[in-house]
Amino acid sequence: MITLYNTLTRQKETFKSIEPGKVKMYVCGPTVYNYIHIGNARPAINYDVVRRYLEYQGYEVIYVSNFTDVDDKLIKRSKELNEPVNTIANRYIDAFYEDVGALNVKKATSNPRVMNHMDDIIKFIKELIDEGYAYESGGDVYFRTRKFEDYGKLSHQSLNDLKVGARIEQGEQKEDALDFTLWKQAKPDEISWDSPFGKGRPGWHIECSVMAYHELGATIDIHAGGTDLQFPHHENEIAQSEAHNHAPFANYWMHNGFINIDNEKMSKSLGNFVLVHDIIKEIDPDVLRFFMISVHYRSPINYNMELVGAAKSGLERIRNSYQAIEERETIATNIETQDHYIDEINQILDQFETVMNDDFNTANAITAWYDLSKLANKYVLENTTSTKVIARFKEVYQIFSDVLGVPLKASNNDELLDEDVEALIEERNQARQNKDFARADEIRDQLKEQNIILEDTPQGVRFKRG
C-alpha cells in the first residue's frame, strides 16, 4: 500500500489510482530557452523514481512532461541571438534529452510542446469565455478568478489574503487585480498566432492545463512539480482546468523541495546558477543522481562538493560490494545450508519497500541498500558460497538499481571495463611469475591511474574501484 503526501490536503494519503493498474501522471517540464539547471534536474530525477517505483509495483504509468516552447524568456532569447523561437526551443529540447539521459531519467510517455497545441489552447480559452469564466479586454483574455469559488485551495490562501499583494500592471485592462492572463495580445515583431481574440500567444498557466487535458483527460492521478510552482502556476491550472472540465483536475499533488548551492539560494545574481550540462562534465552523472535521491524529495537539498563527494563514496561502496558478489558467483556451489542469508536479504527488500511505500522515501531506501551491501560484504567472507544466495543477492541489487535508477556499474566510458581489468590482473600475475617486475609495476601503475585498488584474498587477487 503506497501513501504519499498530497499538497492539496496537506497530509499523507493512501494512493488509489482512478483506473485500476494504471497511473496518469503529469510533471511540469522546463522552459526550453537554455540548458537545464540543477533545480530542473531535481524533479526530473525525483519523479522518475516515483514512476519507476509505481511500475515496480505493477502499475502502467502514463508519464507526461511538457516543454514550454513559447514564453517571454524564449522571445527575449530569440531577440538576443537573432534566431527564431522554434530554432532555440529545438536546440534546448535536444540538450534536455541529452542531459537527463545522462542522469538515467526514463523518457516520458510523451513530451507535449505548446506550439503543437495552439489550436487546442485557443479552443479551451474560447470555451472558458463562453461559460463566463474568462473575458476579452484590450486584446488580452483574462480568467475571472473570483468566479472560481475554490481558488486558493492548493496554496491554502484566501482571496482576501491574495488581494493584498495583487495589482494591475501598466497596459492591463482587468476587471479585478486577481484575474490572470490566458491570452496575450501580440506585440510588434513577436511570435504570434491568429485567434478569435486577435493575434497573440497563450499565457503560461493555460498551456499546462490544455496539454494535460489533451494527453491525459479531465482528471489525472498525480500532478507534480517544484515547490515554487504551487502558486500561482498550479493554483491557476486548477482554476481554469476545473472550470473547463467540470471535474477535479488532479487527485494528488506532489511538490519537491528547493535546491541551495553551498547553503545559499541559487540565482543568477549570486553567480551560483549551476547548469547540468556543465556539472556532468566534471561529476559522474550517476553520482549526481545518487546525491539527488539521498534526501527525501520534499526536503530542501544543499548542493556542495563535500556532500557530492560523500555520495560518490557511498555509491562506490555499493558497487564494490556488488562486484564482490559477482566474483564469488564463479566459485559458488549448490549448498543448501545458507538459507538464513536469503531470509536476511528478503528482510532488507521488505525494508526497502516499506520506506518507498511511505511517500517514496529514497533517503531511507538508500539506507536499505547500504544494509544489503554490508550483508554482501559479510557473505563473501564465507569459505563457501551458495548459487541460490548469490542469485538472490543479485536479484535484489538489481531491484534497488532499477527502482532508484542508479546503475550497478560505472557508466564512464573512459574507465576500463571489468573484463579488461581482469585481463590486466592476469597479465600482471603472469609477469610476476616470470620475474618481469617492470611489466608488473607498469600494469599496477596503469590500474592505479584508473583508481583501481588490488586486494589479495584467499581466492586470489581481486579489485575494486576506489
Side-chain angles (χ1 to χ4, degrees):
M1 182 178 68
I2 297 172
T3 61
L4 60 83
Y5 183 85
N6 190 351
T7 309
L8 190 65
T9 60
R10 295 293 197 270
Q11 62 185 12
K12 287 184 184 178
E13 299 178 9
T14 300
F15 177 72
K16 186 176 181 181
S17 59
I18 298 165
E19 184 178 341
K22 182 178 289 187
V23 176
K24 294 186 289 184
M25 188 171 178
Y26 186 92
V27 178
C28 283
T31 301
V32 285
Y33 72 103
N34 198 351
Y35 296 108
I36 59 168
H37 54 71
I38 195 169
N40 302 128
R42 190 174 193 194
I45 292 169
N46 286 148
Y47 300 125
D48 179 61
V49 173
V50 171
R51 173 192 186 176
R52 286 167 176 267
Y53 188 68
L54 289 168
E55 289 174 341
Y56 168 69
Q57 289 293 345
Y59 289 97
E60 176 194 350
V61 181
I62 305 171
Y63 188 97
V64 177
S65 185
N66 70 292
F67 291 125
T68 297
D69 59 356
V70 181
D71 94 323
D72 292 337
K73 292 175 182 176
L74 271 153
I75 290 171
K76 181 182 177 184
R77 198 70 190 272
S78 172
K79 291 176 180 176
E80 289 171 352
L81 300 178
N82 194 28
E83 290 182 327
V85 168
N86 199 40
T87 300
I88 295 168
N90 288 339
R91 178 187 307 142
Y92 289 113
I93 285 172
D94 289 342
F96 171 85
Y97 284 130
E98 181 180 342
D99 289 343
V100 300
L103 295 170
N104 206 29
V105 173
K106 294 177 68 172
K107 274 204 169 185
T109 309
S110 66
N111 291 116
R113 296 177 57 166
V114 177
M115 286 194 190
N116 296 337
H117 286 272
M118 204 56 64
D119 290 344
D120 300 320
I121 291 170
I122 291 167
K123 181 174 181 287
F124 199 102
I125 294 172
K126 186 176 184 306
E127 288 167 351
L128 285 171
I129 293 173
D130 292 343
E131 293 208 29
Y133 279 102
Y135 60 94
E136 299 178 57
S137 180
D140 298 323
V141 180
Y142 299 99
F143 184 87
R144 287 191 174 98
T145 300
R146 290 185 186 275
K147 186 173 174 61
F148 184 72
E149 294 181 359
D150 286 338
Y151 193 84
K153 66 180 179 179
L154 180 68
S155 56
H156 291 239
Q157 301 179 83
S158 70
L159 284 171
N160 290 333
D161 291 337
L162 291 168
K163 189 174 181 181
V164 173
R167 64 181 185 272
I168 298 176
E169 302 288 348
Q170 184 177 357
E172 294 181 331
Q173 298 180 40
K174 299 179 180 179
E175 295 176 353
D176 189 311
L178 289 174
D179 296 346
F180 59 88
T181 307
L182 301 178
W183 187 261
K184 298 181 178 183
Q185 184 181 31
K187 294 179 181 177
D189 301 323
E190 282 190 356
I191 188 170
S192 62
W193 286 262
D194 292 322
S195 80
F197 341 112
K199 289 183 75 68
R201 58 187 173 88
W204 175 35
H205 312 302
I206 194 67
E207 297 170 350
C208 280
S209 283
V210 174
M211 288 186 285
Y213 179 68
H214 183 271
E215 298 285 325
L216 298 170
T219 303
I220 60 182
D221 293 296
I222 298 172
H223 194 309
T227 295
D228 57 315
L229 298 180
Q230 276 188 52
F231 185 86
H233 184 53
H234 288 165
E235 196 74 70
N236 291 351
E237 277 190 67
I238 289 174
Q240 61 205 7
S241 292
E242 296 189 359
H244 176 274
N245 303 344
H246 305 289
F249 180 36
N251 288 336
Y252 303 93
W253 287 83
M254 299 179 70
H255 292 91
N256 61 274
F258 289 110
I259 288 188
N260 293 322
I261 309 294
D262 286 322
N263 294 310
E264 288 189 301
K265 183 179 178 180
M266 184 175 65
S267 71
K268 288 182 179 178
S269 61
L270 292 174
N272 64 355
F273 199 75
V274 186
L275 299 177
V276 173
H277 196 73
D278 296 328
I279 295 174
I280 60 178
K281 293 175 183 175
E282 305 295 331
I283 296 171
D284 182 347
D286 294 345
V287 171
L288 182 59
R289 182 180 177 109
F290 192 75
F291 164 74
M292 285 290 206
I293 62 174
S294 66
V295 174
H296 188 274
Y297 77 89
R298 284 194 290 115
S299 299
I301 189 170
N302 186 43
Y303 176 84
N304 64 40
M305 287 302 100
E306 182 179 351
L307 294 174
V308 171
K312 181 176 185 288
S313 297
L315 179 55
E316 285 171 351
R317 290 203 310 274
I318 288 170
R319 284 175 167 171
N320 288 337
S321 66
Y322 180 73
Q323 180 187 325
I325 285 292
E326 280 199 317
E327 289 170 359
R328 290 307 298 269
E329 184 178 27
T330 61
I331 58 169
T333 63
N334 291 322
I335 58 172
E336 297 290 341
T337 59
Q338 296 180 334
D339 283 356
H340 62 284
Y341 275 106
I342 290 181
D343 293 339
E344 290 185 66
I345 295 168
N346 291 340
Q347 287 171 14
I348 293 170
L349 177 58
D350 289 344
Q351 174 192 344
F352 177 85
E353 292 180 350
T354 297
V355 298
M356 286 298 290
N357 283 338
D358 183 14
D359 198 25
F360 308 99
N361 195 327
T362 55
N364 288 346
I366 286 175
T367 299
W369 209 353
Y370 286 145
D371 289 344
L372 184 68
S373 299
K374 289 176 187 174
L375 184 63
N377 289 334
K378 175 185 173 184
Y379 184 65
V380 296
L381 297 177
E382 295 278 359
N383 290 328
T384 55
T385 48
S386 158
T387 53
K388 189 163 69 170
V389 174
I390 292 287
R392 188 57 179 156
F393 264 118
K394 292 183 69 177
E395 285 170 0
V396 176
Y397 267 97
Q398 195 61 57
I399 288 170
F400 291 4
S401 172
D402 290 343
V403 170
L404 298 179
V406 180
L408 289 167
K409 297 187 180 181
S411 56
N412 188 335
N413 292 330
D414 294 331
E415 290 188 347
L416 288 170
L417 298 175
D418 287 357
E419 52 265 36
D420 296 330
V421 176
E422 295 285 3
L424 284 169
I425 290 173
E426 180 58 34
E427 184 183 347
R428 181 173 179 267
N429 290 339
Q430 193 64 47
R432 292 175 70 182
Q433 287 178 18
N434 296 337
K435 301 189 184 306
D436 185 356
F437 298 115
R439 176 56 182 156
D441 289 346
E442 185 181 314
I443 292 171
R444 181 200 61 202
D445 293 342
Q446 181 182 352
L447 294 173
K448 188 176 180 181
E449 286 175 7
Q450 290 283 337
N451 207 24
I452 291 167
I453 300 166
L454 302 183
E455 294 181 335
D456 291 315
T457 73
Q459 290 75 38
V461 177
R462 61 183 290 268
F463 73 93
K464 67 178 182 179
R465 299 184 189 273

